[in-house]
Amino acid sequence: MHEVYLDYNGSAPLDPRVADAMMSALASGVGNAASVHRFGQRQVAAVEDARERVAALVDASPSGVIFCAGATEANNLALIGLAEGAPAERNRIVVSAVEHASVREPAQWLHKQGKAKVDVIGVTPGGHVDLDELDSLLGPDVLAVSVMAANSETGVLNPIEEVSQRVQAVGAVFHCDATQMVGRLPCSLSDIPIDFLSMSGHKICGPGGVGALVGTRQSLTQLRPVTHGGGHERGLRSGSLNVAGIVGLGAAANLVVKERDSESARVRALRDRLVDGLRSELAGVHENGDPNRRLPNTASVRFEGADAEAVVFNMDPVAISTGSACSSGSIEPSQVLLAMGLSRDEAFESVRFSLGRFTAEAEIETAIRQAVKAVEYVRAMNGSDDR
Ligand code: PMP
């Protein structure tokens, strides 16, 4: 059977057009983008072109784009960099309960180091941040609030405009991890005042290991570097630049600008067909998260009575994922689903389908057939265990 990849939120395939741009960058010769000679300057030109493309994706100024090694680093730089530069009277950071580990962990690290107090905003059963709870946590001592634009596990969209207004009203900084959003829905810094936005190449059919933290002229002055060295990227991210990766990120961003709307409409129809197909062929199928406010490509689905790990295993060669994180050999249920009020058992029955640019209609039919077989098999195995 033909392999089917439905794990775009984990990592999206590299677009061949992006690969071509990266190959040209790799072949274009030697030169450190920090050097003044002509070789170096050719690298600078390629990097600056990519900076403009990345800025255009989110309607930012190119001077606000700090290239780094992916969204994990962008999130760390935003939170730790802000805490390092914070005035003494602003020592509290507020993060949502459904943030990616690369936001949750640096926040907890700052807390443990005594560099910031950390509060967590809960989410509604639909998976969006609870604005009333945010209101109750905001005050003049808040340094920063970090709320993601779209959740990687459920695809649920947060009301970032409302969050940003509230954060601005108390003079705090708004950081938004838009890693899953930027490739799929419009996300404009000129429409929504976001002080720092994180993104990553491999979620937008670009390369992995490269991303950007996008700020504004004003917000960047509040950051302190986390990586110290030669002072690249406005002194905020030292290290010789990954020119081919950055060119790839720029090319990927440019394709998103051109193709996002038509791609998202096509992918949404495929995702809806997938969920309809699962529901019509199987009983006990539930969707996690608000179906009316979520990414067009994602479905978090719970198959009652079927262990998600076993379903994922039996779906092969169709690749989907569970929401649970495997750490040091023990499988933990998804923090995101627990925060939304699912029980541990329900979280362990949930899988994620995430589609994208190269998903074909026939692959959705294969995925439905394979999911039906896998779920029926796992349920039957459970039934036989009980006897
Ligand atoms: N934030 C979100 C919402 C993500 O989905 C991911 C990747 N799973 C990251 C951050 C980390 O991105 P990267 O792999 O580029 O470090």
Side-chain angles (χ1 to χ4, degrees), residues 7 46 94 112 177 197 238 282 298 326-327:
D7 195 15
V94 179
K112 280 192 201 123
D177 177 356
L197 176 147
S238 285
L282 288 165
T298 309
C326 180
S327 55

Side-chain angles (χ1 to χ4, degrees), residues 136-161:
S136 72
L137 290 171
L138 287 175
D141 61 333
V142 173
L143 168 67
V145 174
S146 184
V147 171
M148 71 203 319
N151 186 269
S152 38
E153 286 180 40
T154 60
V156 170
L157 306 174
N158 273 316
I160 51 175
E161 198 161 350

